[in-house]
Amino acid sequence: MTLNDDALIKKDRLRFTRNKLSANLTLLAIVFNAIYFVSIYTSDVGNYYYSIIIGASVVYNLLFMLVAFLASEGVKGYKMMYAYALLVLGAGQIIRIFILPTDARNATVQLEMHEQIVMGNAQFIWVCALLIASAVFCIIAGIVGIIKTSTLVSYQAELEKEQKGAAHE
């Protein structure tokens, strides 16, 4: 077998296998988001976490997990739209760092006799790392999905062209 044969076999296999790599990376992104979710919402500092931003964050977390799971199933079947959706979800995870964690890191609440920082450095670094990990897995899953789907689509077009050429001869 030559190098060319190996490449052809890899392309041909795409027709019969699912894109499990992108799907599994997306599931990892969901896991890191869920850990973020738990880390943020188990904190209870005064009444800081009883606000509209937390309500919006909860809704976004649920939507993220729903859309990410849907995208994991979509990229598994080589649907390009879902690969692009994963890139958007990854960017959204990065943007989130500058909303709730940054705001909580810079906020203080008055507790009985003293002021307390809502989110300390350790928790801030932890939740940022979780969001970054989730974003990285989404983005890698999206890129892999785009590459594999593009390869499969172009290979199928080549096969169709060859079949039409053979039918005309």
Side-chain angles (χ1 to χ4, degrees), residues 125-144:
I125 291 167
W126 172 243
V127 296
C128 288
L130 292 169
L131 286 174
I132 289 168
S134 179
V136 166
F137 285 124
C138 278
I139 291 168
I140 292 172
I143 290 169
V144 168

Side-chain angles (χ1 to χ4, degrees), residues 86-142:
L86 286 169
L87 296 177
V88 171
L89 286 175
Q93 293 294 77
I94 297 293
I95 292 168
R96 290 177 72 189
I97 292 170
F98 302 102
I99 301 172
L100 182 60
T102 300
D103 187 55
R105 172 68 184 94
N106 296 324
T108 58
V109 291
Q110 186 66 38
L111 297 176
E112 294 177 24
M113 298 294 205
H114 67 284
E115 241 182 31
Q116 182 176 344
I117 295 173
V118 174
M119 184 181 292
N121 286 334
Q123 186 183 14
F124 177 73
I125 291 167
W126 172 243
V127 296
C128 288
L130 292 169
L131 286 174
I132 289 168
S134 179
V136 166
F137 285 124
C138 278
I139 291 168
I140 292 172

Side-chain angles (χ1 to χ4, degrees), residues 51-117:
S51 67
I52 192 75
I53 195 156
I54 292 298
S57 179
V58 169
V59 170
Y60 183 84
N61 270 312
L62 295 173
L63 285 173
F64 171 85
M65 290 188 279
L66 179 67
V67 172
F69 183 75
L70 179 63
S72 78
E73 291 300 311
V75 293
K76 199 186 295 184
Y78 300 102
K79 304 281 192 253
M80 188 68 81
M81 176 184 74
Y82 293 106
Y84 288 124
L86 286 169
L87 296 177
V88 171
L89 286 175
Q93 293 294 77
I94 297 293
I95 292 168
R96 290 177 72 189
I97 292 170
F98 302 102
I99 301 172
L100 182 60
T102 300
D103 187 55
R105 172 68 184 94
N106 296 324
T108 58
V109 291
Q110 186 66 38
L111 297 176
E112 294 177 24
M113 298 294 205
H114 67 284
E115 241 182 31
Q116 182 176 344
I117 295 173

Side-chain angles (χ1 to χ4, degrees), residues 18-56:
R18 315 282 266 145
N19 183 1
K20 291 180 186 173
L21 177 59
S22 287
N24 290 338
L25 289 171
T26 305
L27 294 177
L28 272 173
I30 293 170
V31 167
F32 280 100
N33 184 73
I35 296 169
Y36 163 82
F37 187 91
V38 169
S39 180
I40 288 287
Y41 304 131
T42 55
S43 300
D44 191 17
V45 181
N47 61 358
Y48 176 81
Y49 287 112
Y50 301 102
S51 67
I52 192 75
I53 195 156
I54 292 298

